[in-house]
Amino acid sequence: MSFETAFISSACNRVPSCISWGPNNLLLYGACHSVAIYDPNAYSNQGAVVKTLVSHNGRVNSVRWAKKLTPTDFIKDEDLFVSAASDRKVVVWKKEEGGAYNFKPMTSLIGHAAIVNVAELMLLRNGQILVASADSDAAVILWSLSNTGEVISQLSLGQKPLALNMKFIPIQNQNFPLLAIGCDDFKIHIYTADGEPLKLLQLVGHEDWIRNIEATFDVDGNTVIATSAQDSLIRLWKIKEKKGEETSSKLKISENTFIFQGAAYVATTESVLGGHEGWVYGLDWHKNNAGKLRLLSASMDKTMIIWEEDENGIWADCVRVGEVGGNTLGFLGCTFSPDGCIILAHGFQGAFHMWRLDEISNQWLPRHSFGGHFDSVVDLAWDPKGVYVISCSTDQTTRLFAPCPTGKESYLYAPWYEIARPQVHGYDMACLALADRYKLISGADEKVARVFQAPEDFLLNFGRLCGIAEDSQKVKNAPRGASVPALGLSNKPVYDTDLGKEKLKPKSQSDMYYEPTFASEVMKEPPTEETLLQNTLWPEVQKLYGHGFELFSVASNHNGTILATACKATRSEHAGIILWNQETWNQIGVLQGHNLTITQICFSPSDEYLLSVSRDRTWVLHKKNGESFSFLCSSTKEFGHTRIIWAADWSIDSLYFVTGSRDKTVKVWGVSTDTVWKPISQGLELEESVTSVAFAPISGKYIIAVGLENGIICVYEWSQKAEVVWNRKFVMDSSVLRLSTLYALPSVLLYPFEELVLELRNTVDHVTLTSLILVLN
């Protein structure tokens, strides 16, 4: 039994300096506590996130590929990169044998007393590695790594360093590294970076905090430094040798002149670029084969600009791309691809925005990108037919992911994309369930459950992208799409009449000012981020009122006729399960039995039983009784768990159910008499708290996946008659799965999809999450 990664979905962390596109054409970005690797050549040049690397226990704030000081055979620059995180640690990664993505921690640098915001790495002569890192406590540390150990030099600036960059200047046929540091004093401080740091000069001109520094060389070999700040301006500085001047050691450093290694240098302002209307966070240089420089900038005004120098030496914007409208908040970083044909930005909400240069029209065209949730993923569900998976998050969105075959390959090997965003809410999401392929029920930090129905545009585009034949009857009766009014929370349906010139007569005064932002699209490839935000919503068809507190769990029976919902509770009167008729949406009953919040609700595959587990350390089983359910039995102290029960699931034959608890045990329960269910084998004892369990829905044997609080997934074959009741088949590699030893895996779902597919969901509080879909061979 083995696993391979089929799909990774994760947004970029909400910090600058968090993406880096290397000369090996691999893109690195921070994804929660891990570093994600995106390969644009994966899946026949469709591109995909191919691996996540884990070594930090805090949010990754900076990733950077190595810079090379001089040509050397010691190590390639594409073999090294550095990452820095909120755990106050800097990690240097090195590629090892075993594949293009096989990077392992080379060393961990510990010395910062505060969160590390940015780090840079440069390869020096004789195999030395120079690392510069800056933290939020106004400290910059230089680490010199060699075969003899680590040498540390520390700078206490007195101002908070927000950006740094390392580049070298050529002096007497030798290259010497310089370190540029941008601070909240609006200045750029230039230091020597080889040996004991020496301050050479400071560049003054910006009128707000410095946010990014990028350096390169022009055609004459002079060092050009680009700086951006919160004053919405970009400044270009040029450092060059001062010819014909006195270069004795008696020459003192003047305002923009300094002496280094017996040579005099002058730093001048090359240009001031004013094209953005918001804070400028991102900068990146690109040099074409002819040596001509281009500068890419990204701003909180939701635009990216490519700047070029004309024949008169004047820098001007030649390309401007970005967003119009939407609910995004601008860009935090940007980068060129190594060949300069792709520009990429990541936004405040973690999404990636990509444009590719079309060779025929010579225009920059938007392209579908990658990404995912930018906050904790709290629930997910498989399409009943196993084609797509849908998830919800505390980032207040619900997202739908599906494989999109590009040729004759099967679904199992097709690349996965986010193809719809059914709900963009105003409250943090808490739970969801699918009643059928095209009906979604979700709950958030509100007392209302909301029901959504797939619109016509989704049905048609889902068929085109995934090769699924659409339901003609559903298409005929469905609205075209949905749109959220200003200051509204409900997705209002949009019909053909709303898209035409003649509008229907408004039904209410509020409708007089309602203008739908939805635009119908015929998708031939996965949608871009802008399309996902505005044109893939599902219309809301029903609201379900009845709970006194925020919803926490929801489940639908397999026939799609009964819905069960539960909310947060501290008393038994609030810890009930409300049952709803899915045809009339009327309440058909309230099931009692718990004293605290119900953590999970499960219908048996036969729909005969309804199981619930709770924070009160008990499970309660109800049995079908007419159109509703009635109490059958519950766990007892003699056989029950001693801590919170987080998860439960049924076997495919409805004969057994499994529970997992904080008491570090997993138990399988079966019927003893008509009204008594007991553990039918010895329980599984583990070293960590159990936060998720799932039966594989396959016949002939019982496969159970167990998620632990430390982020590890274990897969067991369970048999009450075997000599070894719990036969461990596989343990997920912690370097792939574990985001942190402090965070849990609240849900694991197993579903047959040509072969057995394992979907796992990792929850991390207040930070971005990586979700993985793996294939069991």
Side-chain angles (χ1 to χ4, degrees), residues 597-663:
T597 302
I598 295 172
T599 56
Q600 191 166 355
I601 305 171
C602 302
F603 285 91
S604 64
S606 64
D607 284 340
E608 184 180 1
Y609 299 103
L610 174 61
L611 172 69
S612 58
V613 294
S614 168
R615 290 179 179 269
D616 63 9
R617 308 177 183 181
T618 66
W619 56 259
V620 174
L621 190 63
H622 292 83
K623 187 174 182 180
K624 189 74 180 294
N625 183 9
E627 293 183 356
S628 186
F629 285 77
S630 59
F631 177 84
L632 180 64
C633 61
S634 63
S635 58
T636 62
K637 289 185 178 180
E638 180 182 1
F639 301 110
H641 291 282
T642 59
R643 301 292 299 276
I644 294 173
I645 304 176
W646 283 121
D649 194 27
W650 285 92
S651 62
I652 192 172
D653 53 15
S654 300
L655 296 178
Y656 311 105
F657 65 83
V658 60
T659 57
S661 168
R662 186 179 283 177
D663 63 8

Side-chain angles (χ1 to χ4, degrees), residues 4 553 641 753:
E4 64 181 32
S553 55
H641 291 282
F753 182 66

Side-chain angles (χ1 to χ4, degrees), residues 301-304 320-331 353 355 517 528-531 533-535:
D301 64 5
K302 306 182 184 180
T303 64
M304 280 199 298
R320 183 186 292 263
V321 299
E323 293 184 28
V324 178
N327 59 354
T328 58
L329 297 174
F331 298 144
H353 305 258
W355 284 265
T517 57
T528 63
E529 177 66 19
E530 292 76 12
T531 300
L533 281 171
Q534 296 187 143
N535 301 329

Side-chain angles (χ1 to χ4, degrees), residues 157-434:
L157 301 177
Q159 299 87 26
K160 183 178 178 180
L162 301 173
L164 61 81
N165 188 273
M166 285 195 294
K167 204 67 179 177
F168 62 86
I169 57 174
I171 300 177
Q172 299 176 359
N173 298 324
Q174 293 188 15
N175 296 322
F176 291 88
L178 294 183
L179 175 64
I181 306 171
C183 301
D184 58 1
D185 62 353
F186 316 160
K187 300 175 183 177
I188 298 95
H189 306 266
I190 309 294
Y191 289 83
T192 61
D194 194 6
E196 190 65 27
L198 171 66
K199 186 171 183 178
L200 301 177
L201 79 159
Q202 61 185 23
L203 305 176
V204 181
H206 284 290
E207 299 177 353
D208 211 330
W209 291 4
I210 311 300
R211 281 300 181 179
N212 206 337
I213 303 173
E214 291 293 334
T216 187
F217 297 105
D218 61 13
V219 293
D220 299 322
N222 300 315
T223 303
V224 181
I225 300 176
T227 60
S228 64
Q230 293 181 186
D231 58 7
S232 304
L233 296 177
I234 302 167
R235 288 181 174 267
L236 303 183
W237 316 80
K238 182 174 291 187
I239 299 178
K240 58 183 179 180
E241 188 174 356
K242 198 172 184 180
K243 301 294 184 180
E245 298 288 340
E246 177 65 38
T247 59
S248 67
S249 59
K250 297 181 179 181
L251 182 62
K252 298 181 180 180
I253 298 177
S254 61
E255 181 179 358
N256 279 325
T257 305
F258 62 93
I259 300 293
F260 183 63
Q261 296 292 326
Y265 289 84
V266 60
T268 59
T269 301
E270 180 74 5
S271 184
V272 179
L273 310 180
H276 289 290
E277 298 178 354
W279 298 356
V280 184
Y281 276 101
L283 293 173
D284 192 37
W285 287 103
H286 181 263
K287 184 182 295 185
N288 61 17
N289 295 332
K292 186 176 181 179
L293 290 175
R294 294 187 299 171
L295 177 66
L296 176 66
S297 61
S299 168
M300 290 298 287
D301 64 5
K302 306 182 184 180
T303 64
M304 280 199 298
I305 298 177
I306 298 178
W307 308 83
E308 288 187 359
E309 187 179 19
D310 62 19
E311 56 186 11
N312 298 319
I314 298 175
W315 286 84
D317 58 329
C318 60
V319 175
R320 183 186 292 263
V321 299
E323 293 184 28
V324 178
N327 59 354
T328 58
L329 297 174
F331 298 144
L332 285 176
C334 61
T335 182
F336 275 108
S337 62
D339 59 5
C341 294
I342 298 175
I343 54 176
L344 180 74
H346 69 96
F348 187 78
Q349 294 178 332
F352 289 97
H353 305 258
M354 183 183 296
W355 284 265
R356 181 188 292 273
L357 181 62
D358 184 69
E359 297 179 354
I360 300 176
S361 63
N362 200 32
Q363 297 291 320
W364 289 90
L365 303 178
R367 186 175 184 270
H368 62 82
S369 188
F370 53 99
H373 290 288
F374 63 89
D375 215 324
S376 306
V377 178
V378 292
D379 205 359
L380 54 77
W382 277 100
D383 157 34
K385 296 184 179 180
V387 176
Y388 68 78
V389 65
I390 190 167
S391 61
C392 66
S393 165
T394 54
D395 66 6
Q396 303 183 352
T397 66
T398 301
R399 306 180 187 229
L400 191 152
F401 302 90
C404 299
T406 57
K408 296 182 179 180
E409 73 269 21
S410 69
Y411 281 102
L412 190 62
Y413 302 103
W416 284 66
Y417 299 98
E418 181 183 355
I419 64 171
R421 203 164 294 174
Q423 186 179 12
V424 178
H425 204 31
Y427 291 99
D428 292 354
M429 303 302 300
C431 52
L432 61 79
L434 285 170

